[in-house]
PDB file of all heavy atoms in Angstrom:
ATOM      1  N   TYR A1183      -2.791  15.656  12.387  1.00  0.00           N
ATOM      2  CA  TYR A1183      -2.501  15.856  10.986  1.00  0.00           C
ATOM      3  C   TYR A1183      -1.160  15.363  10.557  1.00  0.00           C
ATOM      4  O   TYR A1183      -0.949  14.958   9.426  1.00  0.00           O
ATOM      5  CB  TYR A1183      -2.762  17.335  10.585  1.00  0.00           C
ATOM      6  CG  TYR A1183      -4.250  17.607  10.528  1.00  0.00           C
ATOM      7  CD1 TYR A1183      -4.877  18.246  11.569  1.00  0.00           C
ATOM      8  CD2 TYR A1183      -4.999  17.192   9.462  1.00  0.00           C
ATOM      9  CE1 TYR A1183      -6.253  18.488  11.549  1.00  0.00           C
ATOM     10  CE2 TYR A1183      -6.354  17.422   9.352  1.00  0.00           C
ATOM     11  CZ  TYR A1183      -6.952  18.083  10.394  1.00  0.00           C
ATOM     12  OH  TYR A1183      -8.353  18.318  10.340  1.00  0.00           O
ATOM     13  N   LEU A1184      -0.197  15.362  11.491  1.00  0.00           N
ATOM     14  CA  LEU A1184       1.085  14.703  11.153  1.00  0.00           C
ATOM     15  C   LEU A1184       0.929  13.218  10.954  1.00  0.00           C
ATOM     16  O   LEU A1184       1.445  12.668   9.999  1.00  0.00           O
ATOM     17  CB  LEU A1184       2.097  14.947  12.251  1.00  0.00           C
ATOM     18  CG  LEU A1184       2.793  16.321  12.259  1.00  0.00           C
ATOM     19  CD1 LEU A1184       3.532  16.530  13.571  1.00  0.00           C
ATOM     20  CD2 LEU A1184       3.765  16.464  11.099  1.00  0.00           C
ATOM     21  N   VAL A1185       0.117  12.585  11.810  1.00  0.00           N
ATOM     22  CA  VAL A1185      -0.070  11.116  11.597  1.00  0.00           C
ATOM     23  C   VAL A1185      -0.923  10.879  10.362  1.00  0.00           C
ATOM     24  O   VAL A1185      -0.687   9.920   9.664  1.00  0.00           O
ATOM     25  CB  VAL A1185      -0.745  10.505  12.880  1.00  0.00           C
ATOM     26  CG1 VAL A1185      -1.195   9.097  12.600  1.00  0.00           C
ATOM     27  CG2 VAL A1185       0.240  10.575  14.042  1.00  0.00           C
ATOM     28  N   ALA A1186      -1.878  11.733  10.086  1.00  0.00           N
ATOM     29  CA  ALA A1186      -2.605  11.581   8.813  1.00  0.00           C
ATOM     30  C   ALA A1186      -1.755  11.728   7.596  1.00  0.00           C
ATOM     31  O   ALA A1186      -1.839  10.963   6.680  1.00  0.00           O
ATOM     32  CB  ALA A1186      -3.724  12.629   8.814  1.00  0.00           C
ATOM     33  N   ALA A1187      -0.860  12.681   7.633  1.00  0.00           N
ATOM     34  CA  ALA A1187       0.105  12.856   6.556  1.00  0.00           C
ATOM     35  C   ALA A1187       0.997  11.622   6.425  1.00  0.00           C
ATOM     36  O   ALA A1187       1.309  11.134   5.292  1.00  0.00           O
ATOM     37  CB  ALA A1187       1.016  14.084   6.760  1.00  0.00           C
ATOM     38  N   SER A1188       1.365  11.049   7.488  1.00  0.00           N
ATOM     39  CA  SER A1188       2.186   9.813   7.515  1.00  0.00           C
ATOM     40  C   SER A1188       1.408   8.723   6.859  1.00  0.00           C
ATOM     41  O   SER A1188       2.003   7.950   6.006  1.00  0.00           O
ATOM     42  CB  SER A1188       2.565   9.439   8.920  1.00  0.00           C
ATOM     43  OG  SER A1188       3.226   8.197   9.001  1.00  0.00           O
ATOM     44  N   ILE A1189       0.170   8.514   7.169  1.00  0.00           N
ATOM     45  CA  ILE A1189      -0.630   7.457   6.582  1.00  0.00           C
ATOM     46  C   ILE A1189      -0.877   7.651   5.108  1.00  0.00           C
ATOM     47  O   ILE A1189      -0.804   6.687   4.318  1.00  0.00           O
ATOM     48  CB  ILE A1189      -1.986   7.340   7.322  1.00  0.00           C
ATOM     49  CG1 ILE A1189      -1.755   6.955   8.820  1.00  0.00           C
ATOM     50  CG2 ILE A1189      -2.955   6.342   6.674  1.00  0.00           C
ATOM     51  CD1 ILE A1189      -0.979   5.702   8.984  1.00  0.00           C
ATOM     52  N   ILE A1190      -1.078   8.879   4.703  1.00  0.00           N
ATOM     53  CA  ILE A1190      -1.239   9.176   3.248  1.00  0.00           C
ATOM     54  C   ILE A1190       0.068   8.832   2.505  1.00  0.00           C
ATOM     55  O   ILE A1190       0.066   8.161   1.461  1.00  0.00           O
ATOM     56  CB  ILE A1190      -1.556  10.654   3.035  1.00  0.00           C
ATOM     57  CG1 ILE A1190      -2.953  10.948   3.574  1.00  0.00           C
ATOM     58  CG2 ILE A1190      -1.460  11.002   1.549  1.00  0.00           C
ATOM     59  CD1 ILE A1190      -3.308  12.404   3.589  1.00  0.00           C
ATOM     60  N   GLY A1191       1.176   9.148   3.102  1.00  0.00           N
ATOM     61  CA  GLY A1191       2.487   8.843   2.460  1.00  0.00           C
ATOM     62  C   GLY A1191       2.685   7.350   2.353  1.00  0.00           C
ATOM     63  O   GLY A1191       3.169   6.799   1.336  1.00  0.00           O
ATOM     64  N   LEU A1192       2.267   6.616   3.440  1.00  0.00           N
ATOM     65  CA  LEU A1192       2.386   5.168   3.398  1.00  0.00           C
ATOM     66  C   LEU A1192       1.509   4.536   2.276  1.00  0.00           C
ATOM     67  O   LEU A1192       1.972   3.667   1.574  1.00  0.00           O
ATOM     68  CB  LEU A1192       1.966   4.628   4.745  1.00  0.00           C
ATOM     69  CG  LEU A1192       1.971   3.085   4.921  1.00  0.00           C
ATOM     70  CD1 LEU A1192       3.403   2.536   4.696  1.00  0.00           C
ATOM     71  CD2 LEU A1192       1.460   2.637   6.241  1.00  0.00           C
ATOM     72  N   ILE A1193       0.316   5.027   2.136  1.00  0.00           N
ATOM     73  CA  ILE A1193      -0.583   4.507   1.111  1.00  0.00           C
ATOM     74  C   ILE A1193      -0.001   4.760  -0.276  1.00  0.00           C
ATOM     75  O   ILE A1193      -0.021   3.902  -1.161  1.00  0.00           O
ATOM     76  CB  ILE A1193      -1.992   5.111   1.282  1.00  0.00           C
ATOM     77  CG1 ILE A1193      -2.617   4.593   2.520  1.00  0.00           C
ATOM     78  CG2 ILE A1193      -2.859   4.735   0.069  1.00  0.00           C
ATOM     79  CD1 ILE A1193      -3.999   5.271   2.873  1.00  0.00           C
ATOM     80  N   VAL A1194       0.499   5.941  -0.492  1.00  0.00           N
ATOM     81  CA  VAL A1194       1.079   6.291  -1.777  1.00  0.00           C
ATOM     82  C   VAL A1194       2.322   5.327  -2.085  1.00  0.00           C
ATOM     83  O   VAL A1194       2.434   4.830  -3.172  1.00  0.00           O
ATOM     84  CB  VAL A1194       1.570   7.778  -1.790  1.00  0.00           C
ATOM     85  CG1 VAL A1194       2.379   8.037  -3.080  1.00  0.00           C
ATOM     86  CG2 VAL A1194       0.342   8.689  -1.814  1.00  0.00           C
ATOM     87  N   LEU A1195       3.133   5.117  -1.097  1.00  0.00           N
ATOM     88  CA  LEU A1195       4.288   4.212  -1.263  1.00  0.00           C
ATOM     89  C   LEU A1195       3.870   2.776  -1.512  1.00  0.00           C
ATOM     90  O   LEU A1195       4.346   2.133  -2.503  1.00  0.00           O
ATOM     91  CB  LEU A1195       5.177   4.290  -0.033  1.00  0.00           C
ATOM     92  CG  LEU A1195       6.377   3.343  -0.001  1.00  0.00           C
ATOM     93  CD1 LEU A1195       7.317   3.588  -1.102  1.00  0.00           C
ATOM     94  CD2 LEU A1195       7.092   3.432   1.374  1.00  0.00           C
ATOM     95  N   MET A1196       2.933   2.275  -0.766  1.00  0.00           N
ATOM     96  CA  MET A1196       2.512   0.882  -0.907  1.00  0.00           C
ATOM     97  C   MET A1196       1.759   0.661  -2.182  1.00  0.00           C
ATOM     98  O   MET A1196       1.772  -0.417  -2.767  1.00  0.00           O
ATOM     99  CB  MET A1196       1.718   0.441   0.347  1.00  0.00           C
ATOM    100  CG  MET A1196       2.527   0.317   1.610  1.00  0.00           C
ATOM    101  SD  MET A1196       4.112  -0.618   1.462  1.00  0.00           S
ATOM    102  CE  MET A1196       3.431  -2.230   1.058  1.00  0.00           C
ATOM    103  N   ALA A1197       1.034   1.688  -2.665  1.00  0.00           N
ATOM    104  CA  ALA A1197       0.284   1.552  -3.969  1.00  0.00           C
ATOM    105  C   ALA A1197       1.329   1.310  -5.050  1.00  0.00           C
ATOM    106  O   ALA A1197       1.114   0.445  -5.927  1.00  0.00           O
ATOM    107  CB  ALA A1197      -0.550   2.812  -4.175  1.00  0.00           C
ATOM    108  N   TYR A1198       2.381   2.084  -5.051  1.00  0.00           N
ATOM    109  CA  TYR A1198       3.404   1.926  -6.074  1.00  0.00           C
ATOM    110  C   TYR A1198       4.112   0.547  -5.949  1.00  0.00           C
ATOM    111  O   TYR A1198       4.284  -0.140  -6.951  1.00  0.00           O
ATOM    112  CB  TYR A1198       4.432   3.049  -5.968  1.00  0.00           C
ATOM    113  CG  TYR A1198       5.550   2.888  -6.954  1.00  0.00           C
ATOM    114  CD1 TYR A1198       5.446   3.350  -8.312  1.00  0.00           C
ATOM    115  CD2 TYR A1198       6.754   2.260  -6.606  1.00  0.00           C
ATOM    116  CE1 TYR A1198       6.450   3.184  -9.200  1.00  0.00           C
ATOM    117  CE2 TYR A1198       7.785   2.093  -7.507  1.00  0.00           C
ATOM    118  CZ  TYR A1198       7.647   2.583  -8.792  1.00  0.00           C
ATOM    119  OH  TYR A1198       8.651   2.374  -9.682  1.00  0.00           O
ATOM    120  N   LEU A1199       4.496   0.230  -4.754  1.00  0.00           N
ATOM    121  CA  LEU A1199       5.236  -1.046  -4.551  1.00  0.00           C
ATOM    122  C   LEU A1199       4.334  -2.258  -4.956  1.00  0.00           C
ATOM    123  O   LEU A1199       4.834  -3.193  -5.507  1.00  0.00           O
ATOM    124  CB  LEU A1199       5.700  -1.159  -3.131  1.00  0.00           C
ATOM    125  CG  LEU A1199       6.800  -0.184  -2.646  1.00  0.00           C
ATOM    126  CD1 LEU A1199       7.150  -0.359  -1.155  1.00  0.00           C
ATOM    127  CD2 LEU A1199       8.056  -0.255  -3.517  1.00  0.00           C
ATOM    128  N   SER A1200       3.096  -2.138  -4.626  1.00  0.00           N
ATOM    129  CA  SER A1200       2.205  -3.240  -5.004  1.00  0.00           C
ATOM    130  C   SER A1200       2.084  -3.356  -6.482  1.00  0.00           C
ATOM    131  O   SER A1200       2.040  -4.505  -7.066  1.00  0.00           O
ATOM    132  CB  SER A1200       0.807  -2.986  -4.431  1.00  0.00           C
ATOM    133  OG  SER A1200       0.807  -2.978  -2.996  1.00  0.00           O
ATOM    134  N   GLU A1201       2.065  -2.256  -7.233  1.00  0.00           N
ATOM    135  CA  GLU A1201       1.968  -2.288  -8.663  1.00  0.00           C
ATOM    136  C   GLU A1201       3.221  -2.923  -9.265  1.00  0.00           C
ATOM    137  O   GLU A1201       3.085  -3.626 -10.303  1.00  0.00           O
ATOM    138  CB  GLU A1201       1.854  -0.875  -9.256  1.00  0.00           C
ATOM    139  CG  GLU A1201       0.512  -0.234  -9.021  1.00  0.00           C
ATOM    140  CD  GLU A1201       0.375   1.130  -9.621  1.00  0.00           C
ATOM    141  OE1 GLU A1201       1.390   1.592 -10.237  1.00  0.00           O
ATOM    142  OE2 GLU A1201      -0.648   1.753  -9.476  1.00  0.00           O
ATOM    143  N   THR A1202       4.350  -2.808  -8.671  1.00  0.00           N
ATOM    144  CA  THR A1202       5.570  -3.370  -9.223  1.00  0.00           C
ATOM    145  C   THR A1202       5.592  -4.889  -9.093  1.00  0.00           C
ATOM    146  O   THR A1202       6.375  -5.559  -9.745  1.00  0.00           O
ATOM    147  CB  THR A1202       6.848  -2.831  -8.542  1.00  0.00           C
ATOM    148  OG1 THR A1202       6.848  -3.310  -7.141  1.00  0.00           O
ATOM    149  CG2 THR A1202       6.899  -1.329  -8.573  1.00  0.00           C
ATOM    150  N   MET A1203       4.650  -5.463  -8.361  1.00  0.00           N
ATOM    151  CA  MET A1203       4.647  -6.896  -8.147  1.00  0.00           C
ATOM    152  C   MET A1203       3.883  -7.648  -9.275  1.00  0.00           C
ATOM    153  O   MET A1203       3.908  -8.883  -9.355  1.00  0.00           O
ATOM    154  CB  MET A1203       3.979  -7.223  -6.792  1.00  0.00           C
ATOM    155  CG  MET A1203       4.705  -6.664  -5.612  1.00  0.00           C
ATOM    156  SD  MET A1203       3.806  -6.882  -4.033  1.00  0.00           S
ATOM    157  CE  MET A1203       4.027  -8.646  -3.801  1.00  0.00           C
ATOM    158  N   GLY A1204       3.151  -6.935 -10.130  1.00  0.00           N
ATOM    159  CA  GLY A1204       2.413  -7.582 -11.164  1.00  0.00           C
ATOM    160  C   GLY A1204       1.149  -8.199 -10.566  1.00  0.00           C
ATOM    161  O   GLY A1204       0.780  -8.016  -9.439  1.00  0.00           O
ATOM    162  N   ALA A1205       0.435  -8.974 -11.359  1.00  0.00           N
ATOM    163  CA  ALA A1205      -0.778  -9.594 -10.915  1.00  0.00           C
ATOM    164  C   ALA A1205      -0.473 -10.816 -10.081  1.00  0.00           C
ATOM    165  O   ALA A1205       0.606 -11.366 -10.182  1.00  0.00           O
ATOM    166  CB  ALA A1205      -1.665  -9.983 -12.111  1.00  0.00           C
ATOM    167  N   GLY A1206      -1.386 -11.223  -9.226  1.00  0.00           N
ATOM    168  CA  GLY A1206      -1.235 -12.407  -8.442  1.00  0.00           C
ATOM    169  C   GLY A1206      -1.592 -12.245  -7.007  1.00  0.00           C
ATOM    170  O   GLY A1206      -1.858 -11.160  -6.515  1.00  0.00           O
ATOM    171  N   ALA A1207      -1.535 -13.344  -6.257  1.00  0.00           N
ATOM    172  CA  ALA A1207      -1.983 -13.336  -4.823  1.00  0.00           C
ATOM    173  C   ALA A1207      -1.043 -12.491  -3.948  1.00  0.00           C
ATOM    174  O   ALA A1207      -1.552 -11.809  -3.054  1.00  0.00           O
ATOM    175  CB  ALA A1207      -2.020 -14.825  -4.291  1.00  0.00           C
ATOM    176  N   TYR A1208       0.265 -12.522  -4.234  1.00  0.00           N
ATOM    177  CA  TYR A1208       1.105 -11.690  -3.380  1.00  0.00           C
ATOM    178  C   TYR A1208       0.775 -10.200  -3.444  1.00  0.00           C
ATOM    179  O   TYR A1208       0.766  -9.522  -2.471  1.00  0.00           O
ATOM    180  CB  TYR A1208       2.607 -11.877  -3.859  1.00  0.00           C
ATOM    181  CG  TYR A1208       3.235 -13.196  -3.483  1.00  0.00           C
ATOM    182  CD1 TYR A1208       3.557 -14.153  -4.404  1.00  0.00           C
ATOM    183  CD2 TYR A1208       3.532 -13.457  -2.133  1.00  0.00           C
ATOM    184  CE1 TYR A1208       4.122 -15.349  -4.011  1.00  0.00           C
ATOM    185  CE2 TYR A1208       4.168 -14.602  -1.739  1.00  0.00           C
ATOM    186  CZ  TYR A1208       4.419 -15.611  -2.681  1.00  0.00           C
ATOM    187  OH  TYR A1208       5.010 -16.762  -2.259  1.00  0.00           O
ATOM    188  N   ARG A1209       0.489  -9.757  -4.654  1.00  0.00           N
ATOM    189  CA  ARG A1209       0.160  -8.355  -4.807  1.00  0.00           C
ATOM    190  C   ARG A1209      -1.130  -8.015  -4.067  1.00  0.00           C
ATOM    191  O   ARG A1209      -1.225  -7.023  -3.347  1.00  0.00           O
ATOM    192  CB  ARG A1209      -0.015  -7.989  -6.313  1.00  0.00           C
ATOM    193  CG  ARG A1209      -0.518  -6.548  -6.485  1.00  0.00           C
ATOM    194  CD  ARG A1209      -0.767  -6.254  -7.954  1.00  0.00           C
ATOM    195  NE  ARG A1209      -1.257  -4.913  -8.157  1.00  0.00           N
ATOM    196  CZ  ARG A1209      -1.546  -4.374  -9.327  1.00  0.00           C
ATOM    197  NH1 ARG A1209      -1.296  -5.067 -10.450  1.00  0.00           N
ATOM    198  NH2 ARG A1209      -1.997  -3.175  -9.434  1.00  0.00           N
ATOM    199  N   ARG A1210      -2.118  -8.869  -4.192  1.00  0.00           N
ATOM    200  CA  ARG A1210      -3.446  -8.641  -3.563  1.00  0.00           C
ATOM    201  C   ARG A1210      -3.285  -8.624  -2.028  1.00  0.00           C
ATOM    202  O   ARG A1210      -3.887  -7.809  -1.347  1.00  0.00           O
ATOM    203  CB  ARG A1210      -4.444  -9.692  -3.992  1.00  0.00           C
ATOM    204  CG  ARG A1210      -4.859  -9.564  -5.433  1.00  0.00           C
ATOM    205  CD  ARG A1210      -6.078 -10.387  -5.795  1.00  0.00           C
ATOM    206  NE  ARG A1210      -5.835 -11.832  -5.616  1.00  0.00           N
ATOM    207  CZ  ARG A1210      -5.390 -12.592  -6.604  1.00  0.00           C
ATOM    208  NH1 ARG A1210      -5.122 -12.055  -7.826  1.00  0.00           N
ATOM    209  NH2 ARG A1210      -5.216 -13.841  -6.425  1.00  0.00           N
ATOM    210  N   ILE A1211      -2.496  -9.572  -1.510  1.00  0.00           N
ATOM    211  CA  ILE A1211      -2.286  -9.625  -0.063  1.00  0.00           C
ATOM    212  C   ILE A1211      -1.561  -8.379   0.443  1.00  0.00           C
ATOM    213  O   ILE A1211      -1.890  -7.790   1.436  1.00  0.00           O
ATOM    214  CB  ILE A1211      -1.562 -10.904   0.289  1.00  0.00           C
ATOM    215  CG1 ILE A1211      -2.419 -12.175   0.021  1.00  0.00           C
ATOM    216  CG2 ILE A1211      -1.125 -10.919   1.772  1.00  0.00           C
ATOM    217  CD1 ILE A1211      -1.687 -13.418   0.156  1.00  0.00           C
ATOM    218  N   THR A1212      -0.512  -7.994  -0.325  1.00  0.00           N
ATOM    219  CA  THR A1212       0.277  -6.825   0.099  1.00  0.00           C
ATOM    220  C   THR A1212      -0.574  -5.575   0.130  1.00  0.00           C
ATOM    221  O   THR A1212      -0.501  -4.827   1.143  1.00  0.00           O
ATOM    222  CB  THR A1212       1.452  -6.640  -0.871  1.00  0.00           C
ATOM    223  OG1 THR A1212       2.323  -7.778  -0.815  1.00  0.00           O
ATOM    224  CG2 THR A1212       2.276  -5.384  -0.571  1.00  0.00           C
ATOM    225  N   TRP A1213      -1.340  -5.371  -0.908  1.00  0.00           N
ATOM    226  CA  TRP A1213      -2.137  -4.150  -0.982  1.00  0.00           C
ATOM    227  C   TRP A1213      -3.287  -4.142   0.101  1.00  0.00           C
ATOM    228  O   TRP A1213      -3.503  -3.164   0.771  1.00  0.00           O
ATOM    229  CB  TRP A1213      -2.710  -3.935  -2.366  1.00  0.00           C
ATOM    230  CG  TRP A1213      -3.573  -2.761  -2.513  1.00  0.00           C
ATOM    231  CD1 TRP A1213      -4.859  -2.670  -2.962  1.00  0.00           C
ATOM    232  CD2 TRP A1213      -3.246  -1.352  -2.186  1.00  0.00           C
ATOM    233  NE1 TRP A1213      -5.390  -1.406  -2.947  1.00  0.00           N
ATOM    234  CE2 TRP A1213      -4.337  -0.548  -2.455  1.00  0.00           C
ATOM    235  CE3 TRP A1213      -2.091  -0.709  -1.741  1.00  0.00           C
ATOM    236  CZ2 TRP A1213      -4.368   0.829  -2.323  1.00  0.00           C
ATOM    237  CZ3 TRP A1213      -2.077   0.646  -1.517  1.00  0.00           C
ATOM    238  CH2 TRP A1213      -3.241   1.365  -1.805  1.00  0.00           C
ATOM    239  N   ALA A1214      -3.965  -5.286   0.170  1.00  0.00           N
ATOM    240  CA  ALA A1214      -5.125  -5.348   1.106  1.00  0.00           C
ATOM    241  C   ALA A1214      -4.622  -5.137   2.571  1.00  0.00           C
ATOM    242  O   ALA A1214      -5.250  -4.406   3.335  1.00  0.00           O
ATOM    243  CB  ALA A1214      -5.805  -6.704   0.963  1.00  0.00           C
ATOM    244  N   THR A1215      -3.576  -5.831   2.959  1.00  0.00           N
ATOM    245  CA  THR A1215      -3.097  -5.719   4.304  1.00  0.00           C
ATOM    246  C   THR A1215      -2.526  -4.324   4.597  1.00  0.00           C
ATOM    247  O   THR A1215      -2.634  -3.822   5.711  1.00  0.00           O
ATOM    248  CB  THR A1215      -2.087  -6.775   4.683  1.00  0.00           C
ATOM    249  OG1 THR A1215      -1.048  -6.818   3.654  1.00  0.00           O
ATOM    250  CG2 THR A1215      -2.729  -8.128   4.784  1.00  0.00           C
ATOM    251  N   SER A1216      -1.987  -3.634   3.582  1.00  0.00           N
ATOM    252  CA  SER A1216      -1.481  -2.285   3.742  1.00  0.00           C
ATOM    253  C   SER A1216      -2.620  -1.343   4.032  1.00  0.00           C
ATOM    254  O   SER A1216      -2.542  -0.484   4.865  1.00  0.00           O
ATOM    255  CB  SER A1216      -0.714  -1.862   2.452  1.00  0.00           C
ATOM    256  OG  SER A1216       0.448  -2.599   2.270  1.00  0.00           O
ATOM    257  N   VAL A1217      -3.680  -1.496   3.308  1.00  0.00           N
ATOM    258  CA  VAL A1217      -4.851  -0.588   3.471  1.00  0.00           C
ATOM    259  C   VAL A1217      -5.463  -0.835   4.830  1.00  0.00           C
ATOM    260  O   VAL A1217      -5.830   0.105   5.608  1.00  0.00           O
ATOM    261  CB  VAL A1217      -5.820  -0.795   2.337  1.00  0.00           C
ATOM    262  CG1 VAL A1217      -7.115  -0.010   2.652  1.00  0.00           C
ATOM    263  CG2 VAL A1217      -5.259  -0.341   0.989  1.00  0.00           C
ATOM    264  N   LEU A1218      -5.561  -2.084   5.215  1.00  0.00           N
ATOM    265  CA  LEU A1218      -6.135  -2.381   6.579  1.00  0.00           C
ATOM    266  C   LEU A1218      -5.229  -1.894   7.630  1.00  0.00           C
ATOM    267  O   LEU A1218      -5.748  -1.336   8.676  1.00  0.00           O
ATOM    268  CB  LEU A1218      -6.352  -3.919   6.684  1.00  0.00           C
ATOM    269  CG  LEU A1218      -7.506  -4.515   5.924  1.00  0.00           C
ATOM    270  CD1 LEU A1218      -7.402  -6.060   5.924  1.00  0.00           C
ATOM    271  CD2 LEU A1218      -8.820  -4.036   6.332  1.00  0.00           C
ATOM    272  N   ALA A1219      -3.979  -1.955   7.489  1.00  0.00           N
ATOM    273  CA  ALA A1219      -2.972  -1.462   8.456  1.00  0.00           C
ATOM    274  C   ALA A1219      -3.084   0.033   8.592  1.00  0.00           C
ATOM    275  O   ALA A1219      -3.096   0.592   9.695  1.00  0.00           O
ATOM    276  CB  ALA A1219      -1.626  -1.875   8.123  1.00  0.00           C
TER     277      ALA A1219
END
């Protein structure tokens, strides 16, 4: 559950950071690879 909490925190952080990138390929690659990771 500590690792699960860590992964949830990572997804929340990367969701926000991806949004700040605007539309485009960079944003899609960042978000997709974050979720896969």
Side-chain angles (χ1 to χ4, degrees):
Y1183 285 101
L1184 279 168
V1185 171
S1188 174
I1189 296 304
I1190 292 170
L1192 177 63
I1193 290 174
V1194 171
L1195 174 59
M1196 293 309 297
Y1198 176 85
L1199 294 179
S1200 297
E1201 287 181 1
T1202 65
M1203 300 174 72
Y1208 284 111
R1209 175 183 178 178
R1210 292 193 295 271
I1211 293 171
T1212 297
W1213 178 236
T1215 50
S1216 296
V1217 172
L1218 289 172

